[in-house]
Amino acid sequence: GGDPSRIGIYGSSSGGHVGELLSMRPRDARYNAIPLPEAPGLDATVAYVATRSPISDPYARFKNAEAHKRTEMMQNHNV
């Protein structure tokens, strides 16, 4: 019973980054590499994007890990 014109994206980490890219450039051929013959006029525009720790902002991701005392994430940042 959902409304297909109100599709959104949720992604975490690299999935959040992909969600950001899709939302910024919905008609970019790089993000429409798989043709859908059943829906040639498909519009990839999304109504909303929600992300958690996207890799697009590594410093903010590090500060979040620091605030939550996630030692392993902080060490991975410094590698």
Side-chain angles (χ1 to χ4, degrees):
D3 178 358
S5 69
R6 300 290 302 160
I7 292 182
I9 296 174
Y10 173 77
S12 175
S13 191
S14 58
H17 184 71
V18 170
E20 290 174 344
L21 294 174
L22 287 170
S23 68
M24 290 189 296
R25 299 183 152 234
R27 291 172 188 80
D28 191 314
R30 293 174 293 182
Y31 310 122
N32 293 309
I34 301 171
L36 297 173
E38 302 84 13
L42 184 68
D43 182 354
T45 302
V46 294
Y48 61 90
V49 176
T51 65
R52 186 187 68 78
S53 300
I55 61 170
S56 53
D57 190 347
Y59 183 68
R61 188 176 159 122
F62 174 79
K63 295 306 283 179
N64 185 39
E66 189 176 56
H68 290 93
K69 300 187 181 351
R70 300 209 170 133
T71 306
E72 186 176 343
M73 281 185 76
M74 291 166 28
Q75 289 171 342
N76 289 339
H77 179 85
N78 292 320
V79 172

